Amino acid sequence: ETPVPIASVSKLVTALVVLSAELPLDEKIRISAEDASASAHPASGVAVGSTWRREELLEWLLVASDNRAAAALARTFPGGWPAFQYAMRALLTQMQLFSFDFGDSSGLSAINKASARDLGVLLVLLSQWPWFRNLATKPSVGSKMNVNRFAHDRSVSLLAGKTGFTAAAGYCLAMAEQFADQVYALVVLNARDREARARDMNELRRFTRQRLAVPG
């Protein structure tokens, strides 16, 4: 129940805000120097000056966890970042997920927090959207592989999910998976490294299968 930093898991909410606003997905967005400076990370698949459809930036956002895509999506939201931040908070409050807070659209800000419980509720809801389901298991975008290793595992019935890392948040992974005919949210926060994050997630998956008597 305790709100803690969630790093790039925040990008799930960024995508949800854009989709909920029903902005035109084919609208062209040009990546600006402002987007690059806001992302505070030189590695990006979307170069400054390049132009992408909003739908393509959403793919870069969730599949490759691209911070410039996150910044561009917030910047071009009607009203800019202040309106986008308000929409993020309002949407989660409307869903009665009160632990969420946001300082940016990418998750680099330590202000971006949520509880594991509220992340779980959000994931189960997102798992009902075909759009999130499709991107959860998309193997790559451009030359960048999906950052979630479980997206590449055919034994995992992944319905929604996102990784994250910052020094404040540690290594995070939140995902919804189907076991038999039920959907479960599995959340790992503040793991010490990538391998520990994967081990913890596999322990949660094993525990869930045992509780449900699901082979695997």
Side-chain angles (χ1 to χ4, degrees):
E1 298 287 346
T2 304
V4 297
I6 58 173
S8 284
V9 177
S10 308
K11 291 183 172 79
L12 290 170
V13 181
T14 295
L16 180 61
V17 168
V18 172
L19 293 171
S20 297
E22 299 184 343
L23 302 177
L25 295 181
D26 59 351
E27 182 179 347
K28 297 290 185 66
I29 295 175
R30 185 178 178 85
I31 303 300
S32 71
E34 178 186 348
D35 301 327
S37 61
S39 70
H41 197 292
S44 174
V46 293
V48 172
S50 62
T51 301
W52 305 82
R53 299 192 311 274
R54 181 174 279 111
E55 184 176 25
E56 292 175 316
L57 290 180
L58 285 167
E59 292 185 3
W60 280 103
L61 176 81
L62 290 190
V63 178
S65 198
D66 196 286
N67 292 324
R68 288 186 193 175
L73 288 167
R75 175 178 56 81
T76 57
F77 191 81
W81 164 245
F84 195 88
Q85 183 186 43
Y86 178 84
M88 294 175 91
R89 291 172 171 167
L91 185 61
L92 275 297
T93 298
Q94 181 182 356
M95 297 165 67
Q96 298 188 340
L97 303 178
F98 300 111
S99 70
F100 281 89
D101 198 6
F102 302 96
D104 66 13
S105 58
S106 65
L108 291 172
S109 171
I111 295 174
N112 290 39
K113 293 182 178 182
S115 69
R117 181 263 178 195
D118 282 0
L119 278 173
V121 174
L122 175 66
L123 281 161
V124 171
L125 292 172
L126 296 184
S127 73
Q128 309 306 311
W129 288 48
W131 189 88
F132 282 95
R133 290 191 180 200
N134 292 337
L135 283 194
T137 54
K138 188 178 176 69
S140 63
V141 57
S143 61
K144 302 289 186 179
M145 298 293 290
N146 193 316
V147 294
N148 182 3
R149 68 172 66 186
F150 291 94
H152 306 280
D153 186 340
R154 293 186 178 181
S155 69
V156 179
S157 298
L158 187 63
L159 304 178
K162 188 70 192 70
T163 62
F165 168 77
T166 62
Y171 288 81
C172 305
L173 175 56
M175 62 191 212
E177 183 176 351
Q178 183 169 331
F179 296 89
D181 59 348
Q182 300 182 64
V183 176
Y184 282 82
L186 310 171
V187 180
V188 173
L189 301 174
N190 198 32
R192 69 176 180 273
D193 55 38
R194 287 186 179 89
E195 294 306 315
R197 176 174 66 187
R199 285 195 300 271
D200 288 347
M201 181 56 72
N202 274 322
E203 285 298 321
L204 287 174
R205 298 180 65 246
R206 186 177 301 113
F207 173 80
T208 305
R209 286 196 301 268
Q210 289 174 346
R211 291 289 298 272
L212 297 173
V214 174

